[in-house]
Amino acid sequence: ELETQIKLNDEQLAQFNIQQESNERKTNELKQSFTTAQTELTSLMDNHKSEIDQLKLAKNELHSELQSTTELADLKEEALTKERDELSLKMKDTVSKLMGATEECNMVKLQLSESLEA
């Protein structure tokens, strides 16, 4: 009876040891999987941070370019408005001179006509 109990205990101990080794293997595999997943996650996070930084930089460059373009467009608009105003003044001056010359011509014609009639 005692031998049977010892034999049964030995078998249970052997079974327990086999289960213990199996559990240790699984634990080591899980630890390795966790470490690998953690490394991959860190790598992905670093890549995404890098991509986000690049996108922020590109956004800032585009904003700066847009601001420069807007400032340039404003300067061109200002220059064109000034040029238009100057041309408008020149045109008014030219029209005024032409009207004066036309009036003078009409007076000369009138004087010529009067002197031809006399």
Side-chain angles (χ1 to χ4, degrees), residues 6-116:
I6 291 174
K7 199 175 196 182
L8 186 61
N9 283 348
D10 285 346
E11 286 177 16
Q12 286 177 343
L13 184 59
Q15 198 65 18
F16 175 79
N17 286 337
I18 291 170
Q19 188 63 44
Q20 181 82 8
E21 288 174 11
S22 175
N23 287 345
E24 285 178 12
R25 271 196 311 279
K26 287 179 183 174
T27 301
N28 288 336
E29 288 172 5
L30 286 173
K31 283 181 183 177
Q32 184 61 42
S33 293
F34 177 77
T35 302
T36 301
Q38 195 174 24
T39 302
E40 289 175 3
L41 181 60
T42 301
S43 176
L44 284 172
M45 288 173 61
D46 289 346
N47 288 343
H48 285 303
K49 184 185 179 317
S50 174
E51 289 173 4
I52 288 170
D53 290 346
Q54 288 174 354
L55 288 172
K56 283 180 182 177
L57 183 62
K59 183 193 94 172
N60 290 340
E61 288 175 3
L62 285 173
H63 179 72
S64 176
E65 192 175 321
L66 176 64
Q67 191 170 356
S68 296
T69 302
T70 302
E71 290 171 2
L72 184 60
D74 289 347
L75 289 173
K76 284 184 178 182
E77 181 182 12
E78 190 178 309
L80 288 172
T81 300
K82 183 178 177 184
E83 187 178 350
R84 182 199 67 207
D85 292 347
E86 289 172 358
L87 288 172
S88 179
L89 284 174
K90 284 181 183 178
M91 185 178 77
K92 285 178 184 176
D93 185 49
T94 302
V95 167
S96 177
K97 285 179 183 175
L98 282 172
M99 288 179 75
T102 301
E103 210 175 289
E104 199 175 313
C105 279
N106 287 339
M107 286 180 64
V108 169
K109 276 168 71 179
L110 185 61
Q111 287 173 352
L112 280 172
S113 297
E114 287 174 356
S115 69
L116 285 176

